[in-house]
Amino acid sequence: MEEKVLIVDDEQSIVTLLQYNIEKSGFKTDIAYDGAEGLEKAVSGEFDLIILDLMLPGMEGTEVCKALRQKQIETPILMLTAKDDEFDKVLGLELGADDYLTKPFSPKEVVARIKAILRRTKKRESGEDQPFIKISDLLIYPQQYEATIKGDSLAFTRKEFELLHYLAKHKGKVLSRDQLLSAVWNYDFVGDTRIVDVHVSHLREKIEPDTKHPVYIKTIRGLGYKMEEPY
């Protein structure tokens, strides 16, 4: 069965370019030209991935992304933005997007990103990871994309969970921001390590008893972060 990609963009030239190259690579596509139509199709249709423009008429891409995640629709989202602005990148990722590309972009890079995101999704859904990871009161269930602390369920965005899982899998090891960017976002954000810091901050708000004195995720000054067993 061919994998299907929903393209949500109001620029006809971009849509044509994306559709041609994505279908040439073996995927099926569907199109939406505004946010409301994109949201409707994403909710009712069966898609393996959504390409979502940030700036859309009526309903912006960030609103579409947020609405989908609130509806518990976890279809991977590759966000497109014409703004080379760190705030837009971080905002999209915080709202639940899996990756982003800044216009103008190479069609080959779009296809490469799609394949990378789908590989990660398949790996997660195949249950390759161990059933759970226990670190003190924190329990992480990779296959269910769930975690609890002292028995209470925690809510995460997709990237927050993937970052938590990666840190937990490498408990006791110091991981640089570049390592975390490469592992969790699957490519290098040159100069964008603030994305890691923002996500770590969000994780601490959810799992640390005192965010000013973290006991799970430690900052190793000048090097990166390390997940530890609290004592």
Side-chain angles (χ1 to χ4, degrees):
M1 184 177 176
E2 287 180 304
E3 290 167 307
K4 194 170 183 180
V5 176
L6 174 63
I7 302 168
V8 187
D9 197 301
D10 63 323
E11 293 184 56
Q12 183 62 58
S13 59
I14 296 291
V15 170
T16 301
L17 180 69
L18 288 171
Q19 188 171 27
Y20 172 78
N21 284 278
I22 291 170
E23 290 185 353
K24 186 179 177 182
S25 298
F27 299 94
K28 287 185 176 180
T29 63
D30 195 2
I31 309 297
Y33 291 99
D34 60 57
E37 182 186 11
L39 178 60
E40 183 180 357
K41 287 192 174 185
V43 169
S44 62
E46 291 295 325
F47 298 97
D48 297 284
L49 184 136
I50 300 165
I51 295 179
L52 180 63
D53 189 30
L54 182 69
M55 302 298 291
L56 291 166
M59 186 180 195
E60 291 191 353
T62 50
E63 296 178 70
V64 176
C65 183
K66 185 177 180 180
L68 288 172
R69 297 308 185 229
Q70 287 176 339
K71 293 175 183 291
Q72 304 299 311
I73 294 170
E74 295 299 326
T75 308
I77 294 172
L78 173 59
M79 189 162 277
L80 304 179
T81 172
K83 297 180 180 178
D84 191 11
D85 187 315
E86 185 179 24
F87 174 77
D88 292 311
K89 300 168 189 174
V90 173
L91 177 61
L93 295 168
E94 284 183 354
L95 290 173
D98 294 80
D99 206 343
Y100 79 89
L101 272 175
T102 302
K103 298 177 182 177
F105 48 75
S106 158
K108 287 184 179 179
E109 185 175 9
V110 174
V111 172
R113 294 284 182 89
I114 291 171
K115 290 179 178 178
I117 293 169
L118 292 177
R119 277 198 304 271
R120 292 201 302 269
T121 304
K122 287 176 183 177
K123 184 177 180 181
R124 186 183 71 245
E125 293 176 348
S126 69
E128 291 179 26
D129 297 308
Q130 63 194 79
F132 68 89
I133 299 173
K134 185 178 187 301
I135 302 176
S136 188
D137 295 322
L138 177 65
L139 282 172
I140 302 166
Y141 301 90
Q143 295 177 32
Q144 290 79 24
Y145 247 54
E146 294 174 357
T148 64
I149 191 156
K150 294 184 178 180
D152 295 328
S153 294
L154 300 169
F156 298 103
T157 66
R158 181 190 297 269
K159 284 301 170 189
E160 286 171 358
F161 186 88
E162 290 180 357
L163 178 59
L164 177 67
H165 182 208
Y166 191 81
L167 286 164
K169 282 197 303 182
H170 298 85
K171 185 182 72 172
K173 294 182 180 179
V174 179
L175 301 169
S176 71
R177 290 171 174 80
D178 287 336
Q179 280 178 284
L180 294 169
L181 284 169
S182 179
V184 177
W185 283 270
N186 209 47
Y187 70 100
D188 295 329
F189 283 66
V190 178
D192 282 351
T193 54
R194 180 174 173 269
I195 292 168
V196 173
D197 297 334
V198 168
H199 281 69
V200 167
S201 177
H202 289 174
L203 289 180
R204 283 174 170 163
E205 289 173 3
K206 296 172 183 180
I207 70 172
E208 298 286 0
D210 180 356
T211 56
K212 293 183 180 179
H213 302 93
V215 293
Y216 284 100
I217 304 174
K218 295 288 187 71
T219 299
I220 310 302
R221 191 174 298 276
L223 295 175
Y225 295 103
K226 178 172 68 170
M227 175 75 84
E228 290 188 345
E229 189 88 32
Y231 294 103

